[in-house]
Amino acid sequence: MSTVDWLPAGFSVQRIDTNDTRLSVAVGGSGPVLVLLHGWPQTSRAWARVMPDLAQNHTVGVPDLRGTGNSDRPKGGYAKTNQADDIRGILTALNLTGLVAVAGHDIGSMVAFAFSPSALPTPAPPPRRPWPLTRTTCRARSP
């Protein structure tokens, strides 16, 4: 059953095909991107009360994670890293670029954690020292 009677003013729901599934995501507001990820056994509705205030200064994306709400229930792909790829696919489909803030609780925080490392550039390794490190031995003197 697909109903959006809970949706705050200024938000719309889109169904996005990504990462071998179809996900439902509520989107509203304008400004820097903020993704809100719900916990278990909840849906995007969990964020309904805070969405209007956050949308005053952010473009807010609130997906139903795979297997919940109006998102499809694929047989597999529930690993948190795979669900993080779902979020990347949603952002790409919505053409939301730049830095992305992600807030999650419960299962949503695990997906947010999986999303975070690959969302940031990999730091360069520290430079090598131009000189070799040598090992020295200190011996105590006997009386």
Side-chain angles (χ1 to χ4, degrees):
M1 179 161 117
S2 178
T3 178
V4 292
D5 57 353
W6 65 273
L7 202 61
F11 280 80
S12 63
V13 171
Q14 298 183 40
R15 300 265 295 158
I16 296 174
D17 291 314
T18 184
N19 199 22
D20 297 325
T21 192
R22 178 174 285 172
L23 302 171
S24 176
V25 58
V27 183
S30 64
V33 179
L34 172 61
V35 177
L36 303 175
L37 302 174
H38 63 82
W40 177 260
Q42 299 169 327
T43 66
S44 56
R45 292 182 187 210
W47 298 102
R49 289 182 146 185
V50 298
M51 289 164 60
D53 288 340
L54 294 171
Q56 291 178 16
N57 298 306
H58 296 86
T59 299
V60 181
V62 190
D64 285 336
L65 296 173
R66 60 172 55 209
T68 66
N70 290 324
S71 289
D72 286 355
R73 290 150 184 81
K75 291 184 182 198
Y78 291 88
K80 302 309 168 251
T81 51
N82 197 48
Q83 292 185 60
D85 287 341
D86 292 346
I87 304 309
R88 282 186 206 85
I90 288 171
L91 295 171
T92 300
L94 295 172
N95 199 29
L96 296 175
T97 59
L99 292 177
V100 176
V102 181
H105 73 97
D106 192 57
I107 296 298
S109 66
M110 294 180 207
V111 176
F113 184 77
F115 177 88
S116 63
S118 57
L120 300 174
T122 303
R128 291 186 57 112
R129 293 184 175 149
W131 61 89
L133 295 177
T134 58
R135 183 176 173 189
T136 58
T137 306
C138 296
R139 295 182 185 205
R141 292 186 182 183
S142 309

